[in-house]
Amino acid sequence: RAAAAEPRPLAGRSVVISAGGTREPIDPVRFLGNRSSGAMGVALAAAAHAAGADVVLIGANLDVAPPAGVEVVAVETTAQLRDAMLARADADVVVMAAAVADYRVDGVADEKRSKESWGDAPTIVLSLNPDILAELARAPRDGLVVGFGAETEPDDEALLRRGREKLARKGADLLVVNRVGHDAGFGDVETRIRVLDASGVVADASGSKASVARAIIETIAERLPAPSA
Ligand code: CTP
Ligand code: CA
């Protein structure tokens, strides 16, 4: 006999999720990057798909395989991620789970740098990247905008305070706070997340990335405005 069908609270809804970490080129063969594997965003995409959503995963340099049944758009740089997200800002739900490079490299070299051209003590000059989450939150929209706040802050009070500040600064509807470090948050390990809205903590979940992703998707589904006619 078939098992009872799983609830599909996101049936008919469009969900766009960024995952992974953006890379900023220095020259044709080098980049500045970060250690994000994309596992959290990929787990969210899988959970959203299981909940019945039409999911687009904007994958920045993913180290993990994307889930089946999900449309994947591969990007590398923050500028490419921004274009891909803003083009889909009218989705019912947009989630910025990607670790976005805060800075890009000024004057990217067209040719591979050599020690001769670079010298003994080269400097790399950086410029601030646009804040994609804040831009999505400012865009005219009916949907829900969800951000992540990955922090290494060991003190829980301070972690949540930073999360509340980040939520307010970005203007997102929800912010998922999680602690990251050398042994927490990156890679396949036990994760604890809290979801914040303007009123405070609205969800608290621990476990595998798959299980916290389900909790996050449930929280999002509960808060989604009814479909517009
Ligand atoms: N984010 C973004 N665009 C950026 C930087 C961050 O969209 N240029 C998004 C991330 O995807 C995440 C959220 O903003 O959803 C918070 O990212 P985080 O790095 O914690 O915040 P920052 O504002 O960059 O603050 P910090 O100085 O602490 O890095
Ligand atoms: Ca940042």
Side-chain angles (χ1 to χ4, degrees):
R1 295 184 64 91
E6 285 197 36
R8 289 165 62 87
L10 292 181
R13 303 294 196 142
S14 54
V15 176
V16 180
I17 300 172
S18 70
T22 59
R23 292 177 178 173
E24 298 296 339
I26 296 169
D27 71 13
V29 299
R30 302 186 177 93
F31 60 84
L32 295 179
N34 63 69
R35 294 186 193 283
S36 179
S37 68
M40 189 68 238
V42 165
L44 277 173
H49 176 66
D54 295 321
V55 182
V56 181
L57 178 67
I58 314 294
N61 311 297
L62 297 180
D63 282 341
V64 293
V70 162
E71 184 191 341
V72 182
V73 176
V75 298
E76 181 181 6
T77 65
T78 301
Q80 290 165 356
L81 175 60
R82 177 174 178 272
D83 288 347
M85 293 305 293
L86 293 183
R88 296 170 180 81
D90 61 347
D92 293 314
V93 181
V94 293
V95 182
M96 282 298 297
V100 180
D102 289 323
Y103 303 96
R104 66 181 176 279
V105 176
D106 276 354
V108 177
D110 294 334
E111 308 266 343
K112 184 185 165 196
R113 298 271 207 159
S114 63
K115 290 195 290 297
E116 194 184 8
S117 73
W118 226 343
D120 291 345
T123 51
I124 292 176
V125 179
L126 304 176
S127 287
L128 196 61
N129 268 330
D131 190 319
I132 302 168
L133 179 61
E135 287 187 87
L136 289 166
R138 276 198 303 270
R141 59 180 172 97
D142 303 317
L144 217 61
V145 174
V146 183
F148 268 74
E151 310 282 357
T152 52
E153 172 61 58
D155 178 65
D156 207 56
E157 289 272 307
L159 181 82
L160 290 175
R161 188 175 342 108
R162 282 184 65 92
R164 282 193 297 273
E165 286 165 4
K166 213 160 256 186
L167 176 73
R169 179 152 44 83
K170 309 266 184 180
D173 297 302
L174 296 173
L175 191 88
V176 182
V177 177
N178 68 330
R179 187 175 288 120
V180 295
H182 294 294
D183 52 8
F186 285 87
D188 190 18
V189 285
E190 189 88 336
T191 305
R192 179 183 182 195
I193 59 91
R194 262 72 58 86
V195 184
L196 308 181
D197 75 2
S199 72
V201 176
V202 295
D204 183 337
S206 299
S208 66
K209 288 213 160 105
S211 86
V212 301
R214 280 193 296 273
I216 294 165
I217 290 299
E218 226 168 85
T219 306
I220 288 171
E222 281 163 9
R223 274 147 193 282
L224 215 47
S228 47

